[in-house]
Amino acid sequence: MDNDDLIRPTVRAVIRKGDLVLVQVKQAASGQRYLTLPGGRQEVGETMQHCLMRECLEEIGVAPEVGDVRHVADVFRKRAGGVRQLIEVLFDCAVPDAYVPVLGARPDKRQVATIWADPARPEAPFLPRYDLALMRGDAPVHLGRLDCATP
């Protein structure tokens, strides 16, 4: 079995500044833009917290202070050749007050910017739709199944 066929553990940072959330702006080959939370795939032998600090440093230029788990979701990402299941764990995180959004030294291949965004008024759609949970103070820890197709 190919490792790409396995369920993939992934971590995401929920970094807030008032009502805003720090997001990556990504652009598909079609030109369509969408928003994602910083983070990525956990490597073998790596803790989720260390993974999140590494991924954020690569993508948004800062290793955040990692707090408690906020949400867990079963994400089914449609892609060429099938569907990949991701178990995504979202952590509350913090960055220094003086942090200005930048691209990190190793941004994701589709990442074009890092911005503060209001999940109630996204400039582009969140993929997966974490904005729906981030706007609700009573959102459950387990968000269930989220289907996601990258444009």
Side-chain angles (χ1 to χ4, degrees), residues 18-40:
D19 291 336
L20 305 177
V21 177
L22 190 68
V23 297
Q24 298 169 294
V25 179
K26 294 188 178 179
Q27 184 167 316
S30 67
Q32 184 176 349
R33 290 190 174 200
Y34 58 99
L35 305 178
T36 65
L37 295 172

Side-chain angles (χ1 to χ4, degrees), residues 57-124:
L57 188 59
E58 292 172 0
E59 297 171 355
I60 63 171
V62 65
E65 180 181 319
V66 180
D68 294 332
V69 171
R70 172 171 284 277
H71 299 294
V72 177
D74 300 303
V75 176
F76 290 82
R77 188 174 302 274
K78 295 177 187 171
R79 61 186 186 134
V83 175
R84 168 178 279 158
Q85 182 178 357
L86 308 170
I87 302 299
E88 294 207 350
V89 180
L90 284 64
F91 287 86
D92 283 322
C93 294
V95 294
D97 290 339
Y99 173 76
V100 176
V102 297
L103 288 178
R106 296 182 60 211
D108 285 349
K109 62 183 175 184
R110 294 183 174 166
Q111 184 179 350
V112 296
T114 305
I115 63 170
W116 292 106
D118 182 345
R121 296 184 20 199
E123 293 78 13

Side-chain angles (χ1 to χ4, degrees), residues 1-12:
M1 177 180 279
D2 188 319
N3 282 340
D4 282 345
D5 296 329
L6 300 174
I7 296 172
R8 187 173 176 177
T10 305
V11 293
R12 301 277 173 212

